[in-house]
């Protein structure tokens, strides 16, 4: 149980511990007393600097009167899944985030995909179900704020059929009306340093995890350098992209002129 470098898995688990502790109205010292450990150990778990054992997750559930919430979270972090290996440690960070910032270069951002669109992209029933489950984060109580910048080519690239594309763009227009979702389209052109899609998940304790796509899959990182670069690129993309209102107008135009 020694302290270690945080990973996206331990950071996400720690954020869930923090959330449940605060909902129970306890401070770290009080939770430590209920679980027979030191306050510093609770701090290490919550910050992601240590990976606790499953039996300790059970003790925390008992101390917090949270049923099996933390045991379930612990199991989910380690279970095998239909997510590709390079992505498998990010969904938990995504689910516990209170802010998501995403840039997409080729396809619609996963949390905004319709089922038919996702089915063409993934081609696997279990993977499609996993993606649809992930989307529930957008409508849960205390849903995260979501900022998405997509390259204009995403709107023009046919995935499946014109009917699927029309439905997908209409869904984007509808989602843009949600208070917690902001969608911007980046006009086709050179975007400095924006070479790959990425998503930044900011946790309730303000720690962050970034998932960065690559030609062979992708990787997650909590390295300050990676997070700083991704945040700077995203800020520049937002500044150069169309406004949310103009982005919706463009999507409507593309539906009329290309996918009807």
């Amino acid at each position: 149980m020694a302290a270690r470098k945080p990973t996206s898995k331990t950071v996400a688990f720690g954020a869930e511990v923090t959330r449940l502790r605060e909902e129970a109205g306890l401070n770290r010292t009080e939770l430590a007393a209920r679980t027979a450990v030191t306050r510093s150990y609770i701090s290490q778990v919550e910050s992601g600097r240590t990976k606790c054992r499953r039996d300790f997750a059970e003790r925390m559930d008992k101390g917090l009167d949270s049923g099996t919430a933390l045991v379930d979270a612990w199991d989910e972090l380690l279970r095998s899944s239909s997510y590709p290996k390079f992505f498998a440690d990010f969904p938990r960070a995504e689910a516990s985030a209170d802010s998501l910032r995403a840039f997409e270069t080729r396809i619609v951002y996963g949390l905004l995909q319709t089922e038919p669109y996702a089915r063409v992209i993934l081609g696997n029933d279990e993977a499609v179900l996993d993606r649809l489950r992930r989307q529930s984060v957008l409508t849960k109580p205390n849903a995260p704020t979501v900022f998405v910048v997509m390259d204009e080519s995403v709107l023009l690239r046919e995935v499946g059929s014109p009917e699927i594309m029309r439905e997908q763009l209409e869904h984007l227009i509808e989602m843009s009306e949600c208070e917690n979702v902001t969608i911007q389209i980046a006009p086709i052109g050179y975007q400095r340093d924006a070479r790959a899609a990425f998503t930044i998940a900011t946790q309730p304790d303000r720690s962050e995890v970034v998932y960065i796509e690559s030609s062979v899959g992708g990787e997650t990182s909590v390295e300050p350098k990676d997070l700083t670069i991704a945040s700077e690129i995203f800020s520049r993309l937002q500044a150069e992209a169309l406004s949310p209102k103009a982005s919706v107008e463009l999507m409507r135009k593309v539906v009329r002129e290309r996918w009807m």
Side-chain angles (χ1 to χ4, degrees):
M1 297 192 294
R4 63 181 71 182
K5 183 177 179 181
T7 69
S8 58
K9 291 181 180 181
T10 58
V11 167
F13 181 81
E16 184 70 357
V17 174
T18 301
R19 182 184 71 81
L20 291 170
R21 175 178 60 76
E22 291 178 346
E23 285 185 356
L26 301 177
N27 59 36
R28 289 175 176 173
T29 300
E30 290 168 331
L31 178 57
R34 292 190 180 193
T35 53
V37 296
T38 63
R39 180 189 182 283
S40 64
Y41 184 70
I42 297 295
S43 177
Q44 288 175 17
V45 171
E46 291 191 352
S47 65
R49 297 195 305 275
T50 193
K51 175 183 174 183
C52 71
R53 291 170 42 175
R54 190 179 191 277
D55 60 348
F56 186 67
E58 293 175 346
R59 283 158 57 189
M60 286 193 292
D61 269 333
K62 184 176 180 180
L64 293 168
D65 193 23
S66 53
T68 62
L70 289 176
V71 170
D72 291 344
W74 197 94
D75 288 342
E76 185 174 344
L77 286 168
L78 299 180
R79 72 178 175 87
S80 59
S81 74
S82 62
Y83 298 124
K85 183 178 180 181
F86 56 78
F87 184 71
D89 57 350
F90 186 74
R92 187 69 197 177
E94 178 183 70
S96 60
D98 64 10
S99 175
L100 295 166
R101 290 172 286 166
F103 171 57
E104 281 291 348
T105 61
R106 299 180 301 104
I107 60 174
V108 170
Y109 175 50
L111 295 186
L112 298 177
Q113 291 178 8
T114 62
E115 181 176 349
Y117 188 99
R119 195 167 296 282
V120 174
I121 295 294
L122 299 171
N124 176 284
D125 287 344
E126 186 177 356
V128 171
L129 288 175
D130 276 331
R131 177 151 298 179
L132 296 177
R133 290 190 195 103
R134 283 173 52 212
Q135 293 178 357
S136 65
V137 72
L138 299 181
T139 55
K140 69 178 184 178
N142 300 314
T145 53
V146 181
F147 302 92
V148 182
V149 177
M150 291 187 290
D151 189 90
E152 183 180 351
S153 63
V154 171
L155 309 181
L156 307 174
R157 183 174 295 110
E158 183 171 329
V159 173
S161 69
E163 291 75 18
I164 288 175
M165 290 303 300
R166 181 171 64 251
E167 179 184 3
Q168 176 62 75
L169 267 61
E170 289 172 346
H171 180 66
L172 290 177
I173 294 168
E174 180 180 351
M175 291 301 298
S176 70
E177 298 176 355
C178 298
E179 290 186 0
N180 62 315
V181 178
T182 300
I183 301 172
Q184 292 178 261
I185 303 301
I188 293 174
Y190 175 68
Q191 305 290 341
R192 183 160 60 94
D193 297 327
R195 302 183 182 90
F198 61 86
T199 302
I200 304 168
T202 302
Q203 303 302 307
D205 64 358
R206 313 322 299 162
S207 61
E208 294 183 319
V209 183
V210 60
Y211 170 72
I212 308 167
E213 287 191 2
S214 72
S215 58
V216 294
E219 62 179 350
T220 57
S221 175
V222 293
E223 290 293 331
K225 180 180 178 181
D226 294 336
L227 290 162
T228 297
I229 291 173
S231 292
E232 290 177 352
I233 292 173
F234 193 80
S235 294
R236 191 158 54 245
L237 285 165
Q238 281 187 306
E240 297 176 357
L242 299 176
S243 69
K245 181 178 180 181
S247 296
V248 169
E249 291 173 354
L250 176 60
M251 287 188 280
R252 286 179 174 146
K253 181 174 183 289
V254 172
V255 169
R256 289 194 310 267
E257 298 182 358
R258 190 176 182 92
W259 302 124
M260 291 299 288

